[in-house]
Amino acid sequence: MSIKSKIIEILEQNRDSSISGQELANILSVSRTAIWKNVQSLEKEGYDINASTNKGYQLNKYNDIVSNEGIKIFLSKKYKNLPINIHKTIDSTNTYAKKITIDGAEHGTIIIANEQTSGKGRFGRSFFSPVNTGIYLSILFRPKKNIADTSVITIAAAVAVCKVIQALTNTNPKIKWVNDIFLNDKKICGILTEAVSDFESGIVESVIVGIGINIKTTKEQFPKEIKETAGSLFPNNIYRNQIIAEIINNLFELYNNLSDKELINKYKEYSLILNKEITYFKDSKKYVGKAIDINKNGNLIVEDKNGQIYILESGEVTLHKK
Ligand code: BTN
């Protein structure tokens, strides 16, 4: 680990207190001048560090830089060695993950960007991914067995995100089937799962789960098409590093138990639409009905006004306004 990396780690671990240059120098067995020079270099990279002659160094409370060191502090021991690639700016973490999957990247590889220039959403839409204000994260899974249906991994991701948001911010996030997460009636997160299949056999070899969360994107920043529907988490004193790490911890735990009934139960618990009137499309036709259940594969069971039952495997639903 370089001196700079160690300084980041120590400052992230001690967000609530200052640490003197001498203390840092002792811990890292280098001179105070070396500490000072490295702190200056970190500031040039964008770190916001408060430095006072009496107290020493401390990360400014507005400093929310995503780093390997900052994420690892919060990762469970068993996930600390997962490869994490952080990019300042990238077209799309999913697109990049797909590229490196083909080149042989390993199961559990994580790609994070501080900005996406062509963030992708479902149905060929874009995902607004401005610099510094969101989490743009892709995780590559190489399931041991070929999975026909990847939707259960998306469900695990949606549940992991909700669990983390609920635990860290004491709020009540909800999942709009299939994979949009809402807070106070605004969409704050979208999940895009993409499978990489073998061209010859058509078998799913790997799955890329892309998670985008608006952390502190303001209403003014959102493009006009989504101004009224999109929102941000605005967590208090919780930083992106911790949110990312906890999502990784939770998602891998759920991934290792995908057939567990508890997963669907949790998904139902977080559902925004269960027992509500919705509009949905099936075979390009528009229907109105009530979402009455979610089955073990994550399919939505809907009953229309004539009592006819439909099973929706994918698609998009709209919730009726009260
Ligand atoms: C949606 O809302 O339709 C899904 C949005 C998914 C966005 C994430 S951000 C990280 C990953 N990279 C992408 O280009 N898209 C996903």
Side-chain angles (χ1 to χ4, degrees):
M1 228 189 198
S2 67
I3 299 177
K4 251 199 283 193
S5 271
K6 285 186 183 153
I7 295 176
I8 299 173
E9 187 185 77
I10 295 169
L11 292 181
E12 285 283 4
Q13 273 164 338
N14 295 279
R15 285 208 74 125
D16 296 335
S17 54
S18 296
I19 179 155
S20 73
Q22 188 59 58
E23 244 178 298
L24 280 171
N26 293 347
I27 299 170
L28 304 183
S29 309
V30 295
S31 67
R32 275 174 61 181
T33 318
I35 297 294
W36 179 76
K37 278 190 181 153
N38 279 281
V39 167
Q40 282 211 317
S41 159
L42 284 171
E43 285 179 331
K44 279 203 190 104
E45 286 172 28
Y47 276 87
D48 193 349
I49 300 169
N50 297 336
S52 95
T53 351
N54 299 333
K55 293 192 201 143
Y57 301 109
Q58 183 176 13
L59 283 177
N60 187 301
K61 70 176 174 139
Y62 296 111
N63 183 91
D64 190 16
I65 291 185
V66 175
S67 67
N68 250 289
E69 298 82 358
I71 293 172
K72 288 213 163 124
I73 292 171
F74 297 100
L75 280 183
S76 307
K77 207 168 162 204
K78 54 182 161 175
Y79 305 127
K80 277 208 197 292
N81 291 328
L82 291 175
I84 301 180
N85 293 281
I86 301 177
H87 300 257
K88 275 203 161 72
T89 177
I90 205 169
D91 50 355
S92 147
T93 55
N94 264 35
T95 306
Y96 182 80
K98 268 199 270 183
K99 263 186 236 151
I100 60 166
T101 298
I102 294 162
D103 296 340
E106 66 183 86
H107 169 80
T109 300
I110 293 155
I111 318 293
I112 299 164
N114 198 38
E115 173 186 28
Q116 294 186 119
T117 51
S118 305
K120 294 194 298 179
R122 292 168 72 223
F123 308 115
R125 294 182 193 139
S126 60
F127 185 79
F128 183 58
S129 316
V131 65
N132 292 335
T133 67
I135 288 175
Y136 318 117
L137 160 75
S138 296
I139 303 175
L140 159 65
F141 292 100
R142 291 192 185 271
K144 292 231 168 55
K145 49 182 190 293
N146 297 312
I147 44 169
D149 182 11
T150 56
S151 60
V152 73
I153 301 186
T154 312
I155 290 172
V159 169
V161 171
C162 283
K163 274 185 158 183
V164 171
I165 291 179
Q166 191 172 42
L168 292 182
T169 66
N170 204 14
T171 52
N172 282 317
K174 293 280 174 197
I175 304 168
K176 193 179 127 196
W177 186 83
V178 176
N179 42 6
D180 288 341
I181 293 168
F182 278 69
L183 191 63
N184 304 327
D185 296 329
K186 304 274 184 204
K187 175 171 165 175
I188 58 156
C189 166
I191 299 169
L192 173 68
T193 304
E194 297 185 276
V196 180
S197 315
D198 177 82
F199 186 69
E200 296 285 316
S201 63
I203 287 169
V204 172
E205 281 185 340
S206 44
V207 177
I208 290 149
V209 177
I211 301 171
I213 311 177
N214 306 324
I215 297 293
K216 47 189 177 207
T217 312
T218 58
K219 191 166 179 177
E220 293 69 47
Q221 280 176 288
F222 284 118
K224 66 172 185 311
E225 314 82 75
I226 57 168
K227 239 186 218 327
E228 298 308 320
T229 51
S232 283
L233 186 60
F234 295 117
N236 212 354
N237 283 330
I238 303 284
Y239 299 96
R240 288 184 294 172
N241 285 326
Q242 183 176 8
I243 301 173
I244 292 169
E246 297 294 2
I247 290 174
I248 295 169
N249 290 337
N250 277 276
L251 178 50
F252 276 90
E253 285 305 305
L254 294 170
Y255 175 84
N256 292 329
N257 299 289
L258 281 184
S259 51
D260 195 336
K261 275 221 309 266
E262 232 350 79
L263 177 60
I264 292 292
N265 288 344
K266 271 278 164 210
Y267 188 59
K268 286 193 205 176
E269 230 175 78
Y270 286 122
S271 173
L272 181 69
I273 61 165
L274 262 191
N275 301 315
K276 305 233 171 87
E277 294 293 326
I278 56 165
T279 297
Y280 56 98
F281 289 86
K282 190 166 168 73
D283 304 327
S284 311
K285 268 183 75 182
K286 189 174 168 182
Y287 293 87
V288 172
K290 188 174 179 183
I292 57 169
D293 202 4
I294 293 171
N295 72 14
K296 67 177 188 343
N297 302 318
N299 301 332
L300 188 66
I301 318 288
V302 187
E303 184 176 7
D304 76 3
K305 59 180 188 309
N306 304 317
Q308 176 88 30
I309 304 287
Y310 290 95
I311 298 177
L312 308 185
E313 284 168 13
S314 62
E316 205 169 32
V317 299
T318 326
L319 194 61
H320 291 189
K321 289 248 160 26
K322 274 173 252 159

